């Protein structure tokens, strides 16, 4: 019996992708709030990273007086590069920490308020893994979108603030490749963090008895 | 199968359920022994707080009993693994709830077809059957509407269509008319009765709606977590008369 049973309860990935996309689209405002949390947190990371990227790119190509102004502006160099001193690393860790807490909180809320829906899914014959899969794919969408928007925002703001302080050289020596790398890196980080945030609440929700999930107030 | 042999589609054996409310233990069910025959239209009646909904959840394999056993098609539900349990909920049982429990972000047709997607049907197959079911409940033109764009009665009809998706042997309805006005409630009851007669589906409905009595083959009265009395249909009218 077990084999025939296994073949008969399925949720193809195509359907998972469709269901989660729809679920985000319909709840656009709600998912934008979650995504915004992600975007802002990632913007902070990307702001920090891309700032160092720009400073490192322009440093060898600018005259001594501007170099003095950068050092006077409070930016610290360590072994010839920005972003490697203990203080800088602390800043990145801090920004990541803000990011994780924000994302976990947002995803926890988003899953909790959908307990009823999860219970209904399970009544209709969904396995625990279907529920987890739907939330994971939603988290990837949100991670990609929020991460991209956030890292773009951080990048633009860091470019503009540095340009305000140090003028045209920021644009002239703007490191395109490095910035693209930062963009991709920060976006992937957002996806990873979004997944980290969603996996625990999704597992808890998926394992609930349907009756318990349905009893939750909304 | 032997003629005259009546198959028990659901059997409960000394089922109890205890909930923990803070530091208090609340006994919702205090030992229920009961069997339900195939094709029966059974109503579980009782005041709120009597354990009706808890019993409903036990019969539907939506929750585990604290002690005792639940058999569906003579299979002990506690022995089933997650796959088999999901299969049971998907194929054997159709659920209807007081609060409809439609997926809010999906349209009527998407709600109805979801159990068929789980059952591994192909798109053409499930779209055809979904439309057919919506036609059956009289909502074919509204297939593309979200639950929030439908009235209560219409939502409940979508839920009935969804419950029928995989041709279940049992339809479990937890206060299906609880959130509906009189005439809409009657429509839903008639729809269920029609299904039970035409498709030989076993209908088990927890309710405190007196209208349900007229269509039921048997009524189980629950009081304080125990079966108070069981009444066959033919004797029912007399006792209702007595009450009135």
């Amino acid at each position: 019996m077990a084999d025939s049973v296994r073949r008969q309860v399925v949720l193809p990935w195509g359907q998972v992708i469709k269901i989660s996309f729809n679920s985000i689209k319909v709840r656009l405002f709600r998912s934008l709030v979650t995504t915004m949390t992600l975007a802002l947190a990632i913007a902070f990371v990307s702001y920090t990273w891309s700032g160092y990227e720009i400073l490192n790119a322009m440093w060898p190509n600018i005259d001594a007086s501007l170099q003095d102004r950068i050092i006077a502006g409070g930016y610290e160099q360590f072994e010839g590069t920005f972003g490697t001193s203990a203080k800088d690393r602390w800043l990145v860790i801090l920004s990541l920490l803000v990011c994780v807490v924000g994302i976990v909180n947002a995803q926890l809320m988003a899953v909790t308020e959908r307990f009823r829906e999860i219970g209904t899914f399970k009544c209709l014959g969904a396995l625990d893994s279907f529920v987890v899969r739907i939330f994971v794919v939603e988290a990837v969408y949100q991670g990609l979108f929020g991460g991209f928007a956030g890292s773009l925002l951080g990048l633009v703001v860091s470019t503009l603030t540095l340009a305000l302080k140090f003028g045209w050289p920021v644009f002239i020596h703007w490191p395109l490749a490095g910035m693209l790398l930062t963009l991709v890196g920060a976006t992937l980080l957002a996806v990873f963090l979004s997944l980290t945030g969603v996996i625990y609440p999704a597992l808890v929700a998926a394992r609930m008895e349907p009756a318990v999930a349905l009893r939750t107030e909304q | 199968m032997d003629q005259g042999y009546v198959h028990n589609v659901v059997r409960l054996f000394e089922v109890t359920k205890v909930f923990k409310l803070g530091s208090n233990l609340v006994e919702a069910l205090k030992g229920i022994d009961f069997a339900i025959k195939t094709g029966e239209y059974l109503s579980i009646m009782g005041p709120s707080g009597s354990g009706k909904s808890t019993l409903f959840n036990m019969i539907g394999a939506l929750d585990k009993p604290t002690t005792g056993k639940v058999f569906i098609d003579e299979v002990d539900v506690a022995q089933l693994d997650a796959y088999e349990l999901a299969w049971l909920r998907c194929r054997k049982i159709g659920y209807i709830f007081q609060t409809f429990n439609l997926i809010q972000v999906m349209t009527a047709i998407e709600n109805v077809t979801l159990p068929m997607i789980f059952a591994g049907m192909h798109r053409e197959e499930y779209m055809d059957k979904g439309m057919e079911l919506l036609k059956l409940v009289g909502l074919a033109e509204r297939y593309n509407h979200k639950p929030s764009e439908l009235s209560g009665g219409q939502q409940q009809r979508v839920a009935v269509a969804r419950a029928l998706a995989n041709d279940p042997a049992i339809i479990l309805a937890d206060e299906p008319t609880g959130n509906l006005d009189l005439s809409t409630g009657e429509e839903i009851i008639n729809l269920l009765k029609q299904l039970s007669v035409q498709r030989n589906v076993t209908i088990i409905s927890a309710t405190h709606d007196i209208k349900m009595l007229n269509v039921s083959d048997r009524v189980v009265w629950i009081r304080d977590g125990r079966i108070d009395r069981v009444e066959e249909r033919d004797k029912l009218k007399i006792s209702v008369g007595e009450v009135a």
Side-chain angles (χ1 to χ4, degrees), chain A residues 19 21 26 44 60 71 122 129 192 216:
Chain A
I19 290 174
F21 183 75
V26 172
F44 189 28
I71 298 297
K122 292 192 77 176
S129 65
F192 173 73
T216 49

Side-chain angles (χ1 to χ4, degrees), chain A residues 8 10 15 116 120 209, chain B residues 62 64 87 95 101 118 126:
Chain A
Q8 281 159 344
V10 290
Q15 289 289 349
R116 278 278 286 276
T120 310
E209 290 292 328
Chain B
L62 296 179
K64 292 193 178 93
W87 183 84
Y95 303 89
N101 284 352
F118 290 160
Y126 68 64

Side-chain angles (χ1 to χ4, degrees), chain A residues 47-57 59 70-71 74-93:
Chain A
Y47 172 82
T48 318
W49 282 353
S50 54
Y52 296 141
E53 197 70 48
I54 294 171
L55 288 174
N56 283 326
W59 185 261
I70 291 175
I71 298 297
Y75 295 95
E76 279 174 16
Q77 248 189 337
F78 187 72
E79 287 172 354
T81 43
F82 292 94
T84 44
S85 73
K87 193 187 101 189
D88 300 326
R89 256 181 267 135
W90 174 234
L91 207 63
V92 172
I93 290 172

Side-chain angles (χ1 to χ4, degrees), chain A residues 30-80:
Chain A
R30 181 62 187 88
S31 38
L32 271 182
V33 173
T34 314
T35 311
M36 275 299 285
T37 320
L38 242 162
L40 286 176
I42 282 295
F44 189 28
V45 176
S46 146
Y47 172 82
T48 318
W49 282 353
S50 54
Y52 296 141
E53 197 70 48
I54 294 171
L55 288 174
N56 283 326
M58 56 192 260
W59 185 261
N61 305 312
I62 51 177
D63 53 34
S65 69
L66 191 55
Q67 285 183 346
D68 287 344
R69 268 174 59 204
I70 291 175
I71 298 297
Y75 295 95
E76 279 174 16
Q77 248 189 337
F78 187 72
E79 287 172 354

Side-chain angles (χ1 to χ4, degrees), chain B residues 35-68:
Chain B
I36 301 166
K37 295 186 277 289
T38 307
E40 206 174 9
Y41 193 122
L42 183 99
S43 289
I44 303 169
M45 295 283 251
S48 46
S50 59
K52 262 190 337 264
S53 290
T54 312
L55 182 61
F56 170 90
N57 288 335
M58 296 300 141
I59 296 172
L62 296 179
D63 209 349
K64 292 193 178 93
T66 309
T67 63

Side-chain angles (χ1 to χ4, degrees), chain A residues 2-177:
Chain A
D3 243 23
S4 63
V5 166
R6 225 143 270 174
R7 261 184 281 116
Q8 281 159 344
V9 190
V10 290
L11 185 59
W13 277 103
Q15 289 289 349
V16 175
I17 287 169
K18 209 180 99 194
I19 290 174
S20 10
F21 183 75
N22 260 331
S23 166
I24 288 190
K25 201 179 74 187
V26 172
R27 262 186 276 255
L28 194 61
F29 182 73
R30 181 62 187 88
S31 38
L32 271 182
V33 173
T34 314
T35 311
M36 275 299 285
T37 320
L38 242 162
L40 286 176
I42 282 295
F44 189 28
V45 176
S46 146
Y47 172 82
T48 318
W49 282 353
S50 54
Y52 296 141
E53 197 70 48
I54 294 171
L55 288 174
N56 283 326
M58 56 192 260
W59 185 261
N61 305 312
I62 51 177
D63 53 34
S65 69
L66 191 55
Q67 285 183 346
D68 287 344
R69 268 174 59 204
I70 291 175
I71 298 297
Y75 295 95
E76 279 174 16
Q77 248 189 337
F78 187 72
E79 287 172 354
T81 43
F82 292 94
T84 44
S85 73
K87 193 187 101 189
D88 300 326
R89 256 181 267 135
W90 174 234
L91 207 63
V92 172
I93 290 172
L94 198 72
S95 63
L96 279 176
L97 213 63
V98 173
C99 196
V100 173
V101 173
I103 291 164
V104 171
N105 178 46
Q107 292 289 22
L108 200 67
M109 288 290 297
V111 176
T112 311
E113 67 194 22
R114 283 165 70 185
F115 274 175
R116 278 278 286 276
E117 186 183 320
I118 293 164
T120 310
F121 263 91
K122 292 192 77 176
C123 284
L124 301 180
L127 291 166
D128 295 4
S129 65
F130 297 0
V131 177
V132 175
R133 263 192 261 167
I134 288 172
F135 278 102
V136 161
V137 172
E138 277 185 36
V140 170
Y141 285 138
Q142 287 175 327
L144 282 175
F145 182 73
F148 183 73
S151 41
L152 202 63
L153 179 73
L155 201 141
V156 168
V157 171
S158 77
T159 305
L160 290 181
T161 46
L162 285 175
L164 267 177
K165 281 185 199 157
F166 308 119
W168 283 111
V170 170
F171 293 113
I172 295 164
H173 305 295
W174 203 71
L176 181 66

